[in-house]
């Protein structure tokens, strides 16, 4: 018997946390995924958490989050190291 795996059981990796990368992260978080994100640009590493939180607030305002902003952020790991993506 073949075992099925739900896509939400897997970690999603995103490289780059500028405007587009942050929006992609938010889309995955809103869908219930665990996300590991790499910000190779120091400014993005610094600015991404606030940008992502603001996007999540907009999602929450539109009833798009199942577990609220904090629940979504609990599924997010941000790093500057590409090695953090090894399990994605």
């Amino acid at each position: 018997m073949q075992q099925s795996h739900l896509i939400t059981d897997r970690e999603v990796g995103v490289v780059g946390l500028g405007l587009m990368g942050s929006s992609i992260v938010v889309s995955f978080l809103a869908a219930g995924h665990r996300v590991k994100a790499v910000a190779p640009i120091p400014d993005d590493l610094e600015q991404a958490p606030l940008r992502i939180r603001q996007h999540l607030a907009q999602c929450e305002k539109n009833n798009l989050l199942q577990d609220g902003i904090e629940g979504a952020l609990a599924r997010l790991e941000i790093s500057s190291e590409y090695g953090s993506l090894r399990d994605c």
Side-chain angles (χ1 to χ4, degrees), residues 65-87:
L65 298 180
Q66 297 173 5
D67 53 358
I69 295 171
E70 297 308 319
L73 289 173
R75 294 190 311 277
L76 174 62
E77 179 185 321
I78 298 175
S79 174
S80 62
E81 301 295 323
Y82 287 96
S84 67
L85 301 174
R86 73 175 112 342
D87 296 329

Side-chain angles (χ1 to χ4, degrees), residues 13-33:
V14 176
V15 177
L17 289 177
L19 293 175
M20 190 165 95
S22 294
S23 295
I24 292 168
V25 165
V26 169
S27 295
F28 281 125
L29 292 173
H33 299 283

Side-chain angles (χ1 to χ4, degrees), residues 35-48:
V35 179
K36 288 188 176 181
V38 173
I41 300 172
D43 283 346
D44 287 343
L45 184 63
E46 183 180 317
Q47 296 172 14

